[in-house]
Amino acid sequence: MTKLFIDADACPVLREAIDCARRAKVPCVIAGNTTQNLTRQIRKTDPTQPVDKGFWVDVVQVSVGADSADFAIVRELEPDDVVVTQDIGLASMALGRGARAIGVRGHVYDPLTIDSMLFIRHEEKKVRRAGGRTKGPRAFTDEDRQRFVRNLRELLG
């Protein structure tokens, strides 16, 4: 059965992702560091343990540290699971395990293009380390949120 994993560190679509999991009756795992209140979007009526192959939600809190949530997610992934993340590295690891990945703006990561995305990320990081500047992300919009919901619903079936 497909599970939805959410990399909750700086995730602007946490509520929407959980709502999509509820609607699709897919288990949901929210992973993030201990500095966040990850339970704020969980309803009191949401089951927190597996029940009859339907929706339930679990929270995995990890220590503060680079990539802690990413590795907690990758450890649990199975083929056909779905990961919500802004992190191209996590998306790449998810695709490598046979899972699917979607960005918070609704971009569905593709195994055919993930390597080039990683290369661009690496090159931009080299520029920044050398004291240069790179263009940051554009402002998050309602259209991004709508695209995310539409594409996640499609991924979850």
Side-chain angles (χ1 to χ4, degrees), residues 67-80:
D67 304 323
S68 295
D70 299 357
F71 293 127
I73 289 171
V74 169
R75 212 175 13 254
E76 301 298 321
L77 281 177
E78 295 183 15
D80 292 328

Side-chain angles (χ1 to χ4, degrees), residues 74-115:
V74 169
R75 212 175 13 254
E76 301 298 321
L77 281 177
E78 295 183 15
D80 292 328
D81 286 342
V82 177
V83 177
V84 174
T85 185
Q86 296 187 73
D87 186 325
I88 296 169
L90 174 55
S92 177
M93 290 187 283
L95 294 175
R97 295 201 51 137
R100 295 161 292 161
I102 182 171
V104 298
R105 294 176 189 269
H107 173 78
V108 178
Y109 293 99
D110 186 328
L112 298 175
T113 59
I114 196 73
D115 286 342

Side-chain angles (χ1 to χ4, degrees), residues 2 6 10 20 38 49 57 65 69 72 77 80 93 102 111 120 124 130-131 147 150:
T2 298
I6 304 169
C20 286
L38 298 177
Q49 301 293 321
V57 61
L77 281 177
D80 292 328
M93 290 187 283
I102 182 171
I120 291 167
E124 288 178 344
R147 183 181 323 103
R150 183 176 59 249

Side-chain angles (χ1 to χ4, degrees), residues 16-146:
E16 290 83 358
I18 296 170
D19 287 345
C20 286
R22 273 189 204 104
R23 184 179 186 150
K25 296 180 176 38
V26 171
C28 178
V29 178
I30 305 167
N33 67 52
T34 56
T35 63
Q36 299 181 59
N37 178 8
L38 298 177
T39 59
R40 71 185 182 278
Q41 300 298 335
I42 299 173
R43 296 178 186 160
K44 289 179 181 168
T45 57
D46 286 339
T48 57
Q49 301 293 321
V51 286
D52 297 330
K53 297 184 179 182
F55 169 77
W56 53 272
V57 61
D58 189 21
V59 172
V60 176
Q61 291 200 298
V62 297
S63 62
V64 176
D67 304 323
S68 295
D70 299 357
F71 293 127
I73 289 171
V74 169
R75 212 175 13 254
E76 301 298 321
L77 281 177
E78 295 183 15
D80 292 328
D81 286 342
V82 177
V83 177
V84 174
T85 185
Q86 296 187 73
D87 186 325
I88 296 169
L90 174 55
S92 177
M93 290 187 283
L95 294 175
R97 295 201 51 137
R100 295 161 292 161
I102 182 171
V104 298
R105 294 176 189 269
H107 173 78
V108 178
Y109 293 99
D110 186 328
L112 298 175
T113 59
I114 196 73
D115 286 342
S116 63
M117 294 176 78
L118 285 167
F119 177 75
I120 291 167
R121 180 183 78 163
H122 174 71
E123 291 299 312
E124 288 178 344
K125 194 171 196 174
K126 283 183 1 185
V127 168
R128 289 190 298 275
R129 281 188 179 157
R133 300 182 97 188
T134 58
K135 190 173 161 183
R138 60 180 168 73
F140 192 78
T141 66
D142 287 337
E143 290 81 21
D144 292 328
R145 192 176 306 279
Q146 292 165 1

